[in-house]
Amino acid sequence: MNPAAAHTDAALHPASTMATNAAGMARYDDAMAGVLPGYFDIVADHGEGIWLFDVEGNRYLDLTAGIAVATTGHCHPRVVAAVEAQARRLLHTSVVTRNAPAVALAERIGARTPFLDQPQVFFCNSGAEAVEGGLKLARRVTGRPGIVAFEGAFHGRTLGATSVTTAKQHYREGYGPLVPEVLIAPYGNVPDALEALDALLDARTDAEDRSTIACMLVEPVLGEGGYVVPPVAWLEGLRQRCDRLGALLIFDEVQCGVGRTGRFFAAERFGVRPDVVLFAKGIASGLPLGGLVASRALLEQWPVGAHGSTFGGNPVSCAAGLATIEVIDEEHLCDRAERLGEIGIGRLRAAGAADPRLVREVRGIGLMIGIELASGDDAARVQQRCFAEGVLVLNCGPHGEVLRLCPALTITDAEWDHGLRVLTAALAD
Ligand code: PLP
């Protein structure tokens, strides 16, 4: 091959330089840091809707959506067209100038938060950055240090986000000292969670009996921690306590937001009003984008220059975000998530009832479904069986014991049926 052609292949279609999964994996293992975990030892070549294709041409029904990211499926034509058009027009401005896709997307996201007064948006690149933004906002505007987070939560890999993450001890080990003044309270599925929270809060008043708590940061549906849907009364209890303390209630909707629960934001689904909503993952169907949305009155208290981002609100990512929201509306994806979720939970519960020693619980909301098995080994076994049948399923939970389904919201009835058949057969095997 002449060197110029090799160069073009590497830039335009790198997967074409890997003839087999094994060859790609060998290069991966040499070139990439081993710290990044991987689920399946295949190299993806392309994707189309719910399907992923590896470099050998095998196809897989993807019930992972790249960890709850590909909301509109892989390479939805509307998203691809928006990205292509924007890539030709302008790739990047940073804060040097304003960019139109970011403005338009902020308006669209604001329109999805009827529970916020005059919403405004801050854009960054990822979920962890959205968390950092939320925590910094809370400390800056309240002038208090205290952060309440919850057991089992996953908020990301930066040092601040790691400090509020307890989904697995491994995520925190060896990184101390972590950010101070973080209190960890039980999540809402634990009996007497609010009483335990109150005890923690009581201990955090200063000499003049003023609270030192800036915010409570909560996933309205626990993601990595095991796909747990808390009682609404618990979320309402957090709201009441934040009101009493003058603290901000921050919903981390990085995983559960953007239609997955059957509403654009889970806050709406639960009818509980947060002060700040964090989003990332599914907002741009796979392009890197995150952010937070809050009322104008709150964001006006964050001084100019007190926070920022070079890439946040990148025009191409925002164009993908605009197309994502259009597809969600036009294809009624929130309704679809709710309906297919109910079908899935019903079928999986029926399948699980046949073997209650293996299947401890089936739970979820919308297209965010967790199947808690007896152990992490059981989950790994079922996952491998599904993989052998060409279906990709993730796991989560403290010991990896929860199989989780978070497919693209565009999955068709027939594709969902196929995935559920393979999964229920694997559970019964
Ligand atoms: N918050 C939640 C609820 C998440 O599930 C995740 C990622 O899984 C994050 C934050 C971190 O997002 P990112 O990996 O984009 O930094």
Side-chain angles (χ1 to χ4, degrees), residues 60-90:
Y60 305 87
L61 185 89
D62 180 9
L63 298 182
T64 79
I67 318 193
V69 170
T71 315
T72 57
H74 294 290
C75 302
H76 192 291
R78 290 284 294 277
V79 176
V80 171
V83 167
E84 279 178 352
Q86 185 57 45
R88 270 187 231 104
R89 192 178 299 274
L90 183 66

Side-chain angles (χ1 to χ4, degrees), residues 67 126-129 131 154-157 219 223-224 252 254-255 280-281:
I67 318 193
S126 67
E129 281 186 34
V131 168
F154 183 87
H155 295 292
R157 303 296 201 151
E219 290 171 85
E224 306 294 315
D252 179 344
V254 166
Q255 187 149 173
K281 284 193 182 283

Side-chain angles (χ1 to χ4, degrees), residues 166-302:
T166 50
K168 287 196 179 88
Q169 187 52 27
H170 185 49
Y171 296 157
R172 300 166 63 89
E173 260 163 27
Y175 294 122
L178 297 174
V179 169
E181 301 290 336
V182 172
L183 307 178
I184 305 293
Y187 195 70
N189 58 331
V190 171
D192 302 326
L194 287 173
E195 285 74 5
L197 171 62
D198 286 338
L200 279 176
L201 294 175
D202 286 348
R204 289 300 164 132
T205 49
D206 66 12
E208 274 97 45
D209 212 26
R210 283 187 309 242
S211 172
T212 55
I213 302 299
C215 66
M216 296 191 194
L217 171 68
V218 64
E219 290 171 85
V221 182
L222 202 58
E224 306 294 315
Y227 272 31
V228 178
V229 186
V232 175
W234 178 71
L235 291 172
E236 288 168 349
L238 302 187
R239 174 72 273 169
Q240 286 156 5
R241 282 154 182 81
C242 283
D243 285 343
R244 178 162 54 78
L245 300 172
L248 300 184
L249 181 59
I250 304 177
F251 274 9
D252 179 344
E253 296 218 19
V254 166
Q255 187 149 173
C256 67
V258 194
R260 192 154 286 287
T261 64
R263 300 289 184 282
F264 195 85
F265 284 122
E268 212 185 336
R269 176 84 201 240
F270 291 125
V272 178
R273 177 184 57 81
D275 298 293
V276 182
V277 180
L278 312 179
F279 58 85
K281 284 193 182 283
I283 189 67
S285 289
L287 269 78
L289 184 66
L292 61 82
V293 54
S295 71
R296 181 179 188 135
L298 178 59
L299 290 177
E300 276 177 352
Q301 297 172 54
W302 214 5

